[in-house]
Amino acid sequence: EALGLFTGIGLSEAKARETLRNGALSALLRRAVLQARSALGPALDKATGTLLYNAAARLKDPKHLGFLVGYIARREILTDLQLNAALEYVRSHPLEPLDVADFEQACGVGVCITPEQIEEAVEAVISKHRAELLAERYHFNMGLLMGEARSQLRWADGKTIKNEVDLQVLHLLGPKTEADLEKKPKVSKARLAPAEKQKVAVVENGDMGTETKSLLEQLRGEALKFHKPGENYKTEGYVVTPNTMALLKQHLAITGGQVRTRFPPEPNGILHIGHAKAINFNFGYAKANGGVCFLRYDDTNPEKEEEKYFTAIREMVEWLGYQPYAVTHASDYFDQLYTWALELIRRGQAYVCHQKVEEIKGHNPPPSPWRDRPVEESLLLFEDMRKGKFGEGEATLRMKLVMEDGKMDPVAYRVKFTPHHRTGDKWCIYPTYDYTHCLCDSIEHITHSLCTKEFQARRSSYFWLCNALDVYCPVQWEYGRLNLLYTVVSKRKIIRLVETGAVRDWDDPRLFTLTALRRRGFPPEAINNFCARVGVTVAQATMEPHLLEACAREVLNEQAPRAMAVLEPLKVTITNFPAPKALEVLVPNFPADESRGFHKVPFHQTVYIEETDFREEADKGYKRLAPGQPVGLRHTGYIITVQNVIKDVSGRVIELEVTCAKSDAAEKPKAFIHWVSVPLACEVRLYERLFLHKNPEDPLEVPGGFLSDLNPDSLRVVHNALVDSSVSSARPFDKFQFERLGYFSVDPDSEEGKMVFNRTVTLKEDPGKA
């Protein structure tokens, strides 16, 4: 019956069957068709059927369906243009009753556009562009004429306008000639050089940057769906109450229509790479739209919070380049949250419960026997909770709602006899995330509450609680988490790694916490670029670490000045050194752009090269130093040739004696190698992946658990490396490219006389890595 009903309005059988598979849509369309048939008779033309289908498919609030179908059935809404305006009107006016006169004016009901009006409008537009039309003829953009005519006659039929445009253009220009039928020659655009192509200047968050795309460009997919400030009610699923519009009006008066977001970390651990995405999204979206972003600590669990985490979190936000509009805490609002909890009880929407934690865990716990206890009783018991008359786990305050995942009556308050680092012993009851988060958003007049996908099950409770208390209700938007392979980011698991000695602390450079990435030498711009390239989508993104490393190389190539270092030194004595004392060699900080300056490096008769840059016998394809095979020393203008190989008692090569010659007076060598002379001793730490498998937490990949998957070669320490003296004044976190070796950063462990460097990344991706 339904199939015949849908094909009867012009749907193909395939489209009708597809519609039937969507229960909600087919029910609405059936209602619409039956209502229209009762007014127009059983035979509905295809144009009417299309309007009915579009109304049923695109209407967000089904309560307005009958209202719209009435206009379609009475032939007062005749075009898709009018229907679009009608759907937008009911979406923008969620409260009943609708102003019928205002609605009809907004939808062009009763507006009649005569052929004479269309003719006059098109004539005026063609007259305006007459000179260009005569010059370009049929190569002129006719869409421009259509657009300008339509803007003057909003409700006119598009086909009629097009026919009139075609007719008047033909009258002006005559029939098309062979020249008119030829394709318009393409205007060749000036091609960008490769470097320019990669680094187009963009404005990101109000600042000029050089990235392939700005953050907002990367957000286009999801962010363009966002409501404008004050238009929260246009969001799917948003609950409209009789007071909604008044609350939104007050909200706009306070914010001035400004976008407001917040980044709400728990101060019980260090931020990781996934948080970088959240920071970029929240701060980036606000700044890109001229708005503000709060840094709000979710400090509702004093048992796990430490001052060092508060400090580290803010440091990392600012390190990534963002300044919070305000730094707030959930605890700033404890008094207001408590007052609202009392109000929630008085409204019959919350109750004190005595079920144990283990009883209410999971998705199908037994209903609370105390759910319907009298309001006055819950008020008294909640006061007893506040005064400490109940032990931990003996009583909770629960809200009366069922969440999207089926979880019933989430906890709003629990008893904890733990002093709070900010409020001291004032409270022994603390609010939960489910209770606190949306209300803090409401207090701070957040416009877009951006959170990861796992919080989608809490969206209904978010809307419910604000509306239950009749306060301003923001909108929650969810996006997919960012995860990396070959790592763990869970606070609990990182603590286990620290406790077992697998890593030194939260900032161990093998981890992917933000403090660890900073210590290893990753520039904040690289992390931001990585987040922008991942983009913001609903789907969870799991990325390979080498993609982040590639972003680091791009930034460091521009930021890190060159220096020379030798990890495994081999002494080389130049027997015919051309000067009685050390020479000074000028080395460009950035060889590709010598305008960025030079630094001086001493060049003495004793230099040190890498052990691997010398072989006693040169194999086929080997291009570096060997007896009979000279090499150049980079930046010196000299070529060295082996004269004598000195070995220790075990036969290991410990020194080379060489002669040197000016490079312009000798045959060009096969290779130029790096070196150091009068160097500084340093320690170099070389890092590899901490885990052997891509998913160390997956029991199928790693049956023994993540601690059994540690890579024994994740850290190699070179204790006696040498570096040229140009880095002597470097400070912790300063970055360099050690020629031919990779990008390195000064570690905070550095001391007077002994610098420590962390290798951030190699110069090129290791092809041996998965």
Side-chain angles (χ1 to χ4, degrees), residues 197-200 202 210-214 217-218 529 532-533 554:
K197 196 181 291 183
Q198 290 171 8
K199 292 169 185 159
V200 180
V202 295
T210 51
E211 296 178 24
T212 47
K213 286 185 180 178
S214 68
E217 294 267 328
Q218 295 289 341
N529 292 353
R533 288 181 186 180
E554 284 181 14

Side-chain angles (χ1 to χ4, degrees), residues 62 67 98 103 124 151 156 169 172 259 332 409 457 473 495 518 539 564 571 634 709 723 725 751:
F67 178 77
L98 291 175
F103 169 82
S151 68
V169 167
L172 176 67
V259 166
D332 295 340
D409 294 0
C473 183
I495 288 170
R518 178 178 65 169
M564 290 190 287
K571 184 179 178 181
R634 287 176 65 78
D709 195 46
V723 63
S725 56
E751 298 174 352

Side-chain angles (χ1 to χ4, degrees), residues 489-676:
V489 293
S490 144
K491 295 165 189 169
R492 181 176 56 81
K493 288 175 180 169
I494 291 175
I495 288 170
R496 289 284 293 130
L497 289 170
V498 174
E499 289 172 345
T500 57
V503 297
R504 292 171 59 183
D505 208 338
W506 290 82
D507 65 348
D508 188 296
R510 289 167 289 181
L511 296 173
F512 283 88
T513 60
L514 294 184
T515 49
L517 290 170
R518 178 178 65 169
R519 184 166 189 170
R520 185 157 168 173
F522 278 81
E525 299 90 338
I527 294 171
N528 293 344
N529 292 353
F530 175 65
C531 292
R533 288 181 186 180
V534 171
V536 178
T537 58
V538 174
Q540 180 169 293
T542 302
M543 311 299 290
E544 291 272 5
H546 70 77
L547 298 172
L548 174 59
E549 292 168 3
C551 290
R553 288 187 188 95
E554 284 181 14
V555 175
L556 290 170
N557 186 50
E558 297 293 325
Q559 290 185 356
R562 280 32 170 186
M564 290 190 287
V566 172
L567 301 189
E568 296 173 322
L570 175 59
K571 184 179 178 181
V572 175
T573 301
I574 304 173
T575 58
N576 66 333
F577 192 72
K581 60 178 183 178
L583 301 174
E584 279 190 338
V585 174
L586 281 180
V587 177
N589 295 327
F590 296 88
D593 183 3
E594 294 190 352
S595 68
R596 297 178 70 180
F598 293 78
H599 60 273
K600 293 178 181 178
V601 174
F603 177 38
H604 189 260
Q605 73 175 86
T606 300
V607 299
Y608 297 87
I609 66 170
E610 292 285 358
E611 278 190 356
T612 52
D613 280 346
F614 170 74
R615 287 186 190 173
E616 289 189 78
E617 293 183 16
D619 301 332
K620 187 178 180 182
Y622 181 75
K623 295 181 180 179
R624 281 167 268 169
L625 186 62
Q629 182 166 291
V631 295
L633 295 179
R634 287 176 65 78
H635 310 297
T636 64
Y638 283 92
I639 293 168
I640 59 172
T641 304
V642 176
Q643 300 298 319
N644 188 26
V645 179
I646 302 169
K647 301 180 182 181
D648 62 14
V649 292
S650 67
R652 179 171 170 265
V653 177
I654 57 171
E655 185 180 348
L656 301 175
E657 290 181 344
V658 303
T659 56
C660 69
K662 281 273 192 181
S663 55
D664 56 7
E667 188 179 335
K668 186 178 179 182
K670 291 183 178 180
F672 287 83
I673 61 173
H674 66 280
W675 53 275
V676 292

